[in-house]
Amino acid sequence: MTAGPETTEYDVIVIGGGPAGENAAAYAIAGSERTAAIVERELVGGECSYWACMPSKALLRPVHLLASAHAMAGISASGLDVEAVLRRRDSFTHNHDDSSQVQWATDNRIDVIRSSGRLAGARLVEVEGRTLRARHAVVLATGTTASVPDIPGLREALPWTSRDATNLHEVPRRVVIVGGGVVACEAATWLAGLGAEEVTLLVRGNSLLGNAEPFARERVAAGLADAGVRVRFRTQPAQVERADAKDTGEGRIHGGPVTVRLRGDDVDPDSARIEADEIIVAAGRGPATEALGLAAVGLPDGPVEVDDQLTARGVEGDWLYAVGDVNGRVALTHMGKYQARVCGDVIAARAEGRKLSDARFAATADHQQVPQVVFTAPEVASVGLTEAAARTAGYSVQTVEIDIAVAGSSLARDDYSGRAKLVIDAAADTVLGATFVGPEVGELIHAATVAVVGKVPLATLWHAVPSYPTVSELWLRLLEARRT
């Protein structure tokens, strides 16, 4: 870096120190003498490390393991030690200590600046009265923040968002969750599994997981019902009341019970009121751009639109980039990290005067090739297009849908129940999308991802022989079903 009386220069400045920001900085300077800084106002490691992916999966995994133990003859499983589960979760979030992440940055020659950053002009970032100048690139990686609907009394009741839910200190006895997407369904799964006696999902629409295949939505809804979760479709809060609500810090909300008055087409007057100990809002997220100073470079508030090199559209010169949730392309950590790797490589190539001719310089996987796992019970693993999306896109579509019933699944657990579906481009004889539902099917999705991204002909997949006895043998059964 180069320091002046008012300005500090770096080759690359990243605003936002989550996984996407970290990867963008590391890839942009790898193997070079270039300098980089990450500007982060909270914890280096970001939402995923401390408030989302890691703590939520740490809460879900014991619930899944206990269910598997109950479904296996010869194993005695008495239940969960909730305090131990929470301690293990805290070990994954390092008790909100990001010193190891900061050390990683330092070891990789990346300065960490503890502050908020905002754009002040071309290649300029303001940080608490200081100005940083980027020689090559500024990368926006600020992610998203939870949206709280404008419902009378809701904000005053101090609802939990996903951050509070994943970092709970004790399990509420009665919980109302507003939403029917991934966050809502996963939270309902671990809350019920950890001992909440009454968990109610308020879903505005007609189904859970609106972008999933219909059979996946139905199986998740059935799984939640089996766990004791009450799912109320076509229902949403009309008003929320809570006496003496007080935020005492670290996610601890004190106050009286929460009363939720309901509205919806199917709401019976006799059940139009729910009382709970906590209410969780899982009703979507919005890009964290309000304080980024986008107007200084001629951009509107909202998601930062980018091209496949992750370069911001509407900004003169190739110096501003946006990766991860903030660009509105795909709100998944692994896709944000993927974009960041592409972005970092692009920055490095442009800094060195190299052409962007290699395939790795374009982020294409987030166009109809996105893998995702929903860690409910059962799990949902998917990649690419659903049948409905493929038909809308104009493909000549064939589908294959079968139960997952092979030797490997029967060995995995005694009550194994799952289903798989392939969406096929009949003209090209390749896989457009795949969905698996069942216990631990998340471990199956990468093979499907390779098939979708690689456009592997089904005739070639016949020669990708699944090992016996594994659940992956379902691939053979899918190909056989396609032949008949």
Side-chain angles (χ1 to χ4, degrees):
M1 63 181 172
T2 301
E6 299 179 355
T7 303
T8 305
E9 287 193 345
Y10 292 91
D11 291 302
V12 181
I13 301 169
V14 180
I15 305 178
E22 291 174 319
N23 275 269
Y27 272 68
I29 68 171
S32 75
E33 297 300 318
R34 287 185 292 277
T35 59
I38 288 176
V39 181
E40 173 55 56
R41 66 182 180 85
E42 292 187 305
L43 297 175
V44 178
E47 195 79 16
C48 178
S49 298
Y50 305 101
W51 299 287
C53 314
M54 297 305 291
S56 68
K57 304 318 172 274
L59 294 171
L60 285 160
R61 185 58 179 160
V63 174
H64 293 330
L65 283 176
L66 181 62
S68 295
H70 284 158
M72 184 68 66
I75 296 179
S76 176
S78 59
L80 296 177
D81 180 337
V82 174
E83 289 187 4
V85 170
L86 298 183
R87 285 196 301 272
R88 182 174 183 269
R89 174 211 55 197
D90 291 342
S91 73
F92 280 99
T93 63
H94 302 281
N95 293 293
H96 291 189
D97 177 358
D98 68 350
S99 56
S100 63
Q101 295 292 101
V102 174
Q103 187 61 54
W104 167 86
T106 300
D107 291 345
N108 285 275
R109 301 180 297 105
I110 301 168
D111 287 353
V112 174
I113 300 172
R114 300 277 195 180
S115 183
S116 297
R118 60 181 290 114
L119 296 169
R123 295 183 171 83
L124 298 178
V125 177
E126 284 186 354
V127 178
E128 291 186 346
R130 298 169 53 198
T131 299
L132 309 181
R133 177 182 288 114
R135 297 186 188 94
H136 296 295
V138 175
V139 182
L140 307 179
T142 50
T144 57
T145 56
S147 301
V148 178
D150 189 17
I151 295 170
L154 179 58
R155 290 185 176 86
E156 291 76 10
L158 300 180
W160 283 5
T161 65
S162 58
R163 282 192 168 199
D164 305 297
T166 58
N167 283 270
L168 52 77
H169 300 274
E170 57 186 41
V171 179
R173 186 174 71 84
R174 304 168 301 171
V175 186
V176 170
I177 303 174
V178 180
V182 175
V183 172
C185 292
E186 288 187 349
T189 300
W190 82 63
L191 285 164
L194 294 178
E197 296 175 15
E198 298 177 18
V199 180
T200 303
L201 273 177
L202 303 181
V203 184
R204 181 175 59 183
N206 298 320
S207 68
L208 303 173
L209 304 174
N211 293 325
E213 291 281 7
F215 78 90
R217 306 175 205 169
E218 293 165 5
R219 290 194 174 221
V220 170
L224 289 172
D226 289 344
V229 176
R230 185 181 184 189
V231 182
R232 298 189 62 166
F233 294 113
R234 297 174 293 277
T235 304
Q236 53 189 314
Q239 185 174 6
V240 179
E241 300 172 359
R242 184 174 195 169
D244 303 321
K246 182 179 180 181
D247 187 347
T248 59
E250 296 184 352
R252 292 180 171 89
I253 308 298
H254 288 176
V258 179
T259 300
V260 184
R261 302 184 187 279
L262 307 176
R263 63 184 176 91
D265 295 340
D266 299 336
V267 174
D268 188 291
D270 294 333
S271 60
R273 182 177 176 274
I274 301 177
E275 190 171 273
D277 300 301
E278 297 294 347
I279 180 170
I280 300 174
V281 176
R285 301 178 67 85
T289 59
E290 286 186 3
L292 269 180
L294 296 180
V297 295
L299 294 179
D301 284 335
V304 180
E305 186 179 351
V306 296
D307 60 22
D308 285 349
Q309 278 74 47
L310 289 310
T311 314
R313 298 187 188 275
V315 177
E316 186 176 352
D318 296 327
W319 64 272
L320 184 63
Y321 301 78
V323 295
D325 297 5
V326 75
N327 65 30
R329 285 167 68 126
V330 182
L332 294 166
T333 297
H334 49 278
M335 298 309 294
K337 293 169 70 173
Y338 160 73
Q339 291 176 4
R341 294 192 294 270
V342 173
C343 175
D345 279 346
V346 168
I347 292 169
R350 284 175 171 164
E352 296 165 10
R354 292 183 280 122
K355 294 182 179 180
L356 303 181
S357 55
D358 194 284
R360 76 176 189 275
F361 295 128
T364 57
D366 50 11
H367 300 313
Q368 303 180 342
Q369 299 173 338
V370 177
Q372 180 177 16
V373 180
V374 184
F375 292 88
T376 44
E379 287 183 359
V380 179
S382 61
V383 63
L385 297 177
T386 61
E387 178 182 353
R391 294 191 187 282
T392 299
Y395 288 99
S396 174
V397 174
Q398 291 182 351
T399 63
V400 178
E401 188 173 336
I402 63 171
D403 287 334
I404 301 176
V406 294
S409 61
S410 64
L411 288 167
R413 54 189 289 167
D414 293 343
D415 67 347
Y416 196 102
S417 176
R419 195 156 180 82
K421 179 175 181 176
L422 295 184
V423 178
I424 299 164
D425 180 350
D429 196 44
T430 56
V431 181
L432 292 170
T435 298
F436 308 118
V437 180
E440 300 190 25
V441 293
E443 297 303 325
L444 299 176
I445 198 59
H446 193 60
T449 302
V450 172
V452 170
V453 174
K455 296 180 172 57
V456 182
L458 269 67
T460 301
L461 287 178
W462 273 103
H463 302 287
V465 181
S467 297
Y468 180 89
T470 66
V471 182
S472 293
E473 195 179 12
L474 75 95
W475 278 95
L476 176 58
R477 301 294 172 248
L478 284 164
L479 294 173
E480 289 174 338
R482 201 290 179 101
R483 291 183 66 187
T484 58

